[in-house]
Structures are given as C-alpha cells and as structure tokens.
C-alpha cells in the first residue's frame, strides 16, 4: 500500500483548506468588529452609566453581548476547522482562540494567519499539483 498522495486527494484537501481559510477570515473580522462594538457597549453601560442615567439607551444596545457570544462560538468552529485542516501546532490554536476575546487582536492575527496559510497552500499546490 502506497503512502503517496494522489493529485485528486491533494486537490480536494487544498480546496477544503482554502474554503476553511475564507470562512475563518470572515468570522475573524466579524468577531473583531463585534468585540469592538461590545467594548463600546460596556463603556456606555459601566463607564458612562456611572455618571449619568443610560437606561434610555440600554434597550437599543442590550443585544450586543449576546450577539458577540454567539458569533464567538461560530468563530471557534471556524478556528477549529482551519486549524485541523492546516495541521498547525496547539499554540496556534490557543492564539487563534484568544484572538476572539482580545480587542483588535483578531484583526492582527487574521492577517498573519491568512498570509501564512496562503503561503503553505501555494507550497502544497507546487509540490503536489505541478
């Protein structure tokens, strides 16, 4: 039994990894935006709310923590999917998970992950599909 990877298998694996990368990228950016919105919501609720009555605006922004929470769960799914397809180390997984709860980190890490994944996929295409 040969351990050589076939061209069809390589094409399929690279295609799935590329799709996982684009899903991750979308969710990383969405999670980052929602985290910034959450920071603003918390600033209004706890910062501004300490000095003035914000009860009039709270019904309009009370949905933000719940939305961010569910978006973060979807982000975690895309992180796990990409991580498993790219076969990265455990440290990369932890860093990607943390990026969804540290403001601005998801934007920075998404750019790095995206460029590194594209480079790895290009190298795999060169190796198996050329």
């Amino acid at each position: 039994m040969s351990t050589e990877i076939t061209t069809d298998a390589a094409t399929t694996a690279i295609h799935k990894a590329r799709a996982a990368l684009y899903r991750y990228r979308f969710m990383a950016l969405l999670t980052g935006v929602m985290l910034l919105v959450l920071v603003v919501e918390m600033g209004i609720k706890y910062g501004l709310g300490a000095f003035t009555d914000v009860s009039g605006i709270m019904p309009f922004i009370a949905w933000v923590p719940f939305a961010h929470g569910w978006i973060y769960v979807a982000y975690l799914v895309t992180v796990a999917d990409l991580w498993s397809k790219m076969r990265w180390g455990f440290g990369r997984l932890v860093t990607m998970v943390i990026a969804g709860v540290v403001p601005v980190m998801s934007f920075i890490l998404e750019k790095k992950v995206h460029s590194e994944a594209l480079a790895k996929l290009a190298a795999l295409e060169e190796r198996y599909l050329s």
Side-chain angles (χ1 to χ4, degrees):
M1 184 176 213
S2 175
T3 59
E4 282 295 312
I5 189 166
T6 66
T7 302
D8 289 341
T11 301
T12 300
I14 291 168
H15 176 72
K16 286 181 178 182
R18 214 173 271 284
L21 175 62
Y22 291 115
R23 285 189 299 270
Y24 161 77
R25 188 174 198 198
F26 173 78
M27 288 308 300
L29 295 174
L30 181 60
T31 302
V33 167
M34 283 306 299
L35 185 56
L36 293 177
V37 171
L38 178 64
V39 167
V40 170
E41 185 266 351
M42 291 177 68
I44 291 170
K45 184 176 182 177
Y46 298 111
L48 192 59
F51 302 104
T52 187
D53 181 28
V54 293
S55 60
I57 195 170
M58 288 313 296
F60 299 104
I61 60 175
W63 59 271
V64 172
F66 301 105
H68 172 70
W70 284 109
I71 289 170
Y72 181 68
V73 169
Y75 167 75
L76 292 177
V77 171
T78 63
V79 164
D81 183 37
L82 179 63
W83 175 76
S84 67
K85 284 182 175 57
M86 297 301 293
R87 298 180 183 217
W88 282 323
F90 187 71
R92 171 65 59 97
L93 175 65
V94 171
T95 306
M96 291 168 73
V97 166
I98 292 171
V101 294
V102 176
V104 185
M105 186 175 169
S106 68
F107 300 116
I108 295 166
L109 190 64
E110 179 278 323
K111 185 174 175 77
K112 180 179 179 184
V113 165
H114 186 252
S115 63
E116 289 177 5
L118 286 180
K120 184 175 181 177
L121 292 172
L124 289 171
E125 286 175 338
E126 178 70 28
R127 179 175 177 186
Y128 291 107
L129 305 179
S130 294

